[in-house]
Amino acid sequence: MAKMNFGGVVENVVTREEFPLKKAQETLKNETIAIIGYGVQGPGQALNLKENGFKVIVGQRKDSKTWDKAVADGWVPGETLFEIEEACEKATIIQYLLSDAGQIILWPTIKKYLTPGKALYFSHGFAITYSERTGIIPPDDVDVILVAPKGSGTSLRRLFLEGRGLNSSYAIYRDATGKAFDRVVALGVGIGSGYLFETTFKKEVYSDLTGERGTLMGAIQGIFAAQYETLRANGHTPSEAFNETVEELTQSLMPLVAENGMDWMYANCSTTAQRGALDWWKKFRDATKPVFESLYDEVQKGNEAQISIDSNSKPDYRVKLEAELKEMRDSEMWQTGEVVRGLRPERAKK
Ligand SMILES: NC(=O)c1ccc[n+]([C@@H]2O[C@H](COP(=O)([O-])OP(=O)(O)OC[C@H]3O[C@@H](n4cnc5c(N)ncnc54)[C@H](OP(=O)(O)O)[C@@H]3O)[C@@H](O)[C@H]2O)c1
């Protein structure tokens, strides 16, 4: 483990320099890793681990299209692909990658296979942190560990295939065997993480739920909508409002932020833009801070977890979700976005 300075704060991180793939392979050479669930994270983690030389099997219910997807990806029924219970029985490490709602439903079944010395692995702190609500309480004699890739399972796989990696956090909730650290870091390296930063189950879930409700997804759509509506109410056309709200951000400015930071993006804009942005950003921070504070409070109290457990376990969950996404898709802003995307030079019809 290395200590690294992040803007003046020293944190524990693990890179592939201190923990190379060879060491990870050595650490897990006698382990059978079962990936339970083949949704979004399952395929990325399972395929990366397999191609990195680990012994991996997949557990997936059979009467499902997802089983066929696993077969199409090269998992062989009876050899590397099994029903969930059989995979759990064979495993020494169970990577519990069902949807968060599925994890709650299947827990009584999975629990039976958690014999002493095994490891139970999560990619989210949700199940354990909110155990009073999820009912997921592992036995004392198994390791309980977490590697949470900071991005979609699809990106985890794509970046792996490009020879790059997605950063992940790791945490140990229970070290029953004395081997939890080596196990968790070896798995993190094995799934193709770029570097691993240390967290706890609680911190992982609190920051993750805040982030997706906040700047990553919820807040950004809210700020887009507020600015778009203001421009429209003042007589600007949909094209103008969309370009000044979304298109310029995603196409021109965010790639610059990703490359070298916000100050560098500012430095590469006009002096008029710089002056205005520097004058206004703190007002937006101050206006939204109370909303972020109440969001964090709701997350910490478990209310956000309860809302997602309740809604995700309803039988009409997918239908309702589709209706809400359709409402967003059908809004004038995103309808305009569809037209604007089609007009990008690389997409426009020649
Ligand atoms: N999505 C991401 O990129 C991402 C990123 C970071 C962390 N995570 C975490 O990774 C974990 C997995 O998330 P995910 O998004 O990959 O999940 P997901 O795609 O929603 O997982 C679906 C899997 O769960 C199975 N499943 C759901 N309900 C089930 C039930 N009642 N019985 C049996 N199988 C059931 C599905 O089988 P069927 O297809 O047969 O229903 C499928 O294999 C979660 O803890 C999540 O928070 C996800």
Side-chain angles (χ1 to χ4, degrees):
M1 196 184 333
K3 299 257 180 224
M4 283 184 85
N5 187 325
F6 292 85
V9 179
V10 176
E11 293 185 38
N12 290 330
V13 300
V14 181
T15 68
R16 287 188 243 178
E17 258 172 52
E18 299 101 53
F19 212 103
L21 182 59
K22 253 203 148 80
K23 185 169 172 190
Q25 289 163 340
E26 180 62 26
T27 304
L28 301 180
K29 68 174 192 283
N30 296 322
E31 309 263 21
T32 300
I33 306 163
I35 306 292
I36 304 303
Y38 206 73
V40 181
Q41 278 296 321
Q45 299 199 22
L47 292 167
N48 291 1
L49 279 166
K50 184 174 86 168
E51 287 165 30
N52 267 336
F54 297 88
K55 187 173 177 209
V56 185
I57 58 175
V58 170
Q60 166 61 40
R61 61 178 164 191
K62 209 170 185 173
D63 53 347
S64 160
K65 278 194 192 135
T66 311
W67 174 276
D68 304 334
K69 181 170 92 171
V71 173
D73 281 354
W75 302 98
V76 182
E79 281 178 34
T80 53
L81 174 61
F82 301 93
E83 287 275 7
I84 290 175
E85 288 198 49
E86 202 177 345
C88 287
E89 191 175 8
K90 289 184 190 304
T92 56
I93 296 174
I94 295 178
Q95 294 200 186
Y96 205 22
L97 298 181
L98 299 180
S99 65
D100 294 311
Q103 289 179 21
I104 297 172
I105 298 169
L106 238 70
W107 177 245
T109 308
I110 301 292
K111 207 173 143 187
K112 288 185 276 188
Y113 299 100
L114 287 169
T115 48
K118 285 196 182 185
L120 177 64
Y121 164 115
F122 294 91
S123 282
H124 200 3
F126 193 98
I128 295 290
T129 302
Y130 299 116
S131 61
E132 278 178 21
R133 297 166 195 269
T134 63
I136 297 180
I137 302 169
D140 289 343
D141 43 17
V142 301
D143 291 342
V144 182
I145 54 183
L146 168 147
V147 177
K150 294 293 120 187
S152 163
T154 308
S155 318
L156 184 74
R157 181 67 184 150
R158 278 192 196 158
L159 290 168
F160 177 82
L161 291 172
E162 287 169 19
R164 297 160 64 198
L166 194 63
N167 300 329
S168 303
S169 57
Y170 74 91
I172 299 168
Y173 176 74
R174 185 174 296 127
D175 181 6
T177 64
K179 297 187 295 187
F181 177 79
D182 280 356
R183 272 173 149 177
V184 74
V185 171
L187 290 164
V189 170
I191 65 166
S193 305
Y195 80 94
L196 293 144
F197 63 93
E198 191 179 62
T199 188
T200 63
F201 275 63
K202 232 180 214 171
K203 288 263 162 42
E204 193 282 331
V205 73
Y206 290 177
S207 58
D208 193 71
L209 295 191
T210 301
E212 61 208 10
R213 281 152 184 73
T215 59
L216 304 178
M217 294 170 71
I220 198 158
Q221 163 66 12
I223 287 191
F224 283 171
Q227 174 167 309
Y228 183 89
E229 285 167 19
T230 304
L231 289 171
R232 288 289 288 132
N234 283 285
H236 296 266
T237 60
S239 315
E240 187 161 64
F242 188 83
N243 272 289
E244 294 297 347
T245 303
V246 181
E247 191 72 354
E248 189 173 331
L249 180 75
T250 60
Q251 298 305 295
S252 159
L253 302 181
M254 274 300 146
L256 299 183
V257 177
E259 211 174 308
N260 269 316
M262 192 67 90
D263 62 302
W264 192 73
M265 185 269 267
Y266 280 20
N268 282 281
C269 290
S270 72
T271 49
T272 314
Q274 284 162 6
R275 186 67 265 134
L278 287 166
D279 288 344
W280 278 85
W281 79 264
K282 291 183 183 162
K283 292 187 196 177
F284 282 104
R285 178 196 59 194
D286 296 345
T288 56
K289 189 96 176 278
V291 186
F292 283 103
E293 282 164 354
S294 91
L295 162 60
Y296 194 86
D297 192 46
E298 290 299 301
V299 167
Q300 202 167 23
K301 282 188 193 139
N303 294 344
E304 283 299 311
Q306 194 61 49
I307 291 169
S308 83
I309 291 170
D310 292 345
S311 77
N312 296 355
S313 50
K314 290 209 175 93
D316 61 349
Y317 168 68
R318 290 212 169 270
V319 181
K320 283 232 166 91
L321 170 73
E322 186 40 46
E324 284 181 87
L325 293 179
K326 186 173 182 311
E327 189 191 331
M328 193 183 276
R329 188 159 60 237
D330 289 348
S331 67
E332 186 195 275
M333 179 167 75
W334 290 112
Q335 285 294 307
T336 302
E338 194 181 328
V339 180
V340 171
R341 288 194 296 277
L343 289 171
R344 284 181 199 153
E346 71 275 17
R347 289 209 202 161
K349 289 195 187 84
K350 299 254 159 60

